[in-house]
Amino acid sequence: MANLQNFLQERQNLINNFLEKALKPKLLNKTAIAPERLWQAMSYSCLNGGKRLRGILCLATYEAFKPNYLAVLPIAAGLECIHAMSLVHDDLPCMDNDILRRGKPTCHIQFDTATALLAGDGLLIEGLALCLQADELNPQIMLKIMPEIMQAIGANGMTGGQSIDLENTNKNVSLLELENMHKLKTGAFLKASVLVSAMAAEATESQLKALEIYAEKIGLAFQIIDDLLDLEGDSAQIGKTAGKDLAQNKATYPKFLGLEQSKEKAQNLIEEAKLNLKQNHIYFEPLHQIADYIIQRKK
Ligand code: GRG
């Protein structure tokens, strides 16, 4: 794991530096036309830590096939910008209504609701524009990658998942319905972070399929751990309000399966994800280690 810590830290730094360079000049040199307050809210919500898991998965997947992983750094950073947007909107009073994110007041608490809404809009568009800066990649491949990202966050992906989550509030849903909601809300974007990078690296059809299964399994495990951290972690440790699922009477894995079985399910998914890579001759160690990290993480 020591190696993994270095690997994660290095990639986090790359992504953070890229995002700083993309967003800060518009804030500091006043090259932006939009109000300073909007750019402040965008920087506040994007340059504020975060594990950068989706960006790191994007970089690592590319590196599994080709050494020059900096070719997909703009996409990795763009994905993190889009992810930051989803968190800003998720925290809004009309959505999950949260006051703490990444250990700091949420965007609408620090600024105001209208600014947070617009900051999310701004981050979404900046994120897509950053992805398009991956000019080392074949333009024909970019034409396949961009719709893949958009589908993953659209009404048949993250946006749809969020909508189902809202509809499910105070409803009795089945485990299958819960799983389908998470597949869209969290899973689709996480999967895209892996798949678009594999497409960029010109992975074969069978490699793409293997990575799709890997991403689906780690995505589900990620969500189960998220539920467990909400239940067992504390707010200072996880950087967001702990115990919200219980307070909001949300359907969660521990609610269906209990603590132990939830942990077991997450562990099994991770083992299956890693085995699937091996069976398809994808041995790049960081992808295996990131899978382990997903269930060992404490925040
Ligand atoms: C993207 C067009 C578009 C719309 C967004 C609001 C919304 C629609 C979706 C919300 C989706 C959401 C918040 C899913 C939760 C995903 C999740 C578990 C986030 C936490 O991810 P971590 O732990 O967070 O990777 P850090 O802070 O480390 O980045």
Side-chain angles (χ1 to χ4, degrees), residues 48-54 80 82-83 85-91 95 101-102 124 153-154 158-162 185-186 190 222-223 226 238 240 297 299:
N48 60 346
K51 296 179 288 296
R52 307 301 193 200
L53 179 64
R54 292 147 192 85
E80 284 299 329
I82 297 168
H83 169 59
M85 171 270 169
S86 75
L87 301 180
V88 171
H89 280 192
D90 184 50
D91 291 332
M95 300 260 172
R101 173 67 69 181
R102 293 175 173 169
L124 172 61
I153 60 177
M158 190 199 282
T159 303
Q162 179 77 349
K185 185 180 154 185
T186 322
L190 209 131
F222 176 88
Q223 189 55 54
D226 217 62
I238 64 175
K240 51 188 179 180
R297 69 195 175 99
K299 61 175 189 169

Side-chain angles (χ1 to χ4, degrees), residues 151-167 180-181 184-185:
Q151 289 297 328
I153 60 177
N156 281 338
M158 190 199 282
T159 303
Q162 179 77 349
S163 169
I164 297 173
D165 196 16
L166 293 174
E167 274 188 7
N180 283 335
M181 182 272 287
L184 297 185
K185 185 180 154 185

Side-chain angles (χ1 to χ4, degrees), residues 26 36 58 70 86 92 124 156 181 202 221 232 247 265 268 272 286 296:
K26 293 180 177 151
E36 195 176 337
C58 170
L70 293 183
S86 75
L92 286 171
L124 172 61
N156 281 338
M181 182 272 287
E202 297 176 73
E232 292 184 310
K265 183 173 167 86
N268 289 341
E272 287 163 18
Q296 287 161 11

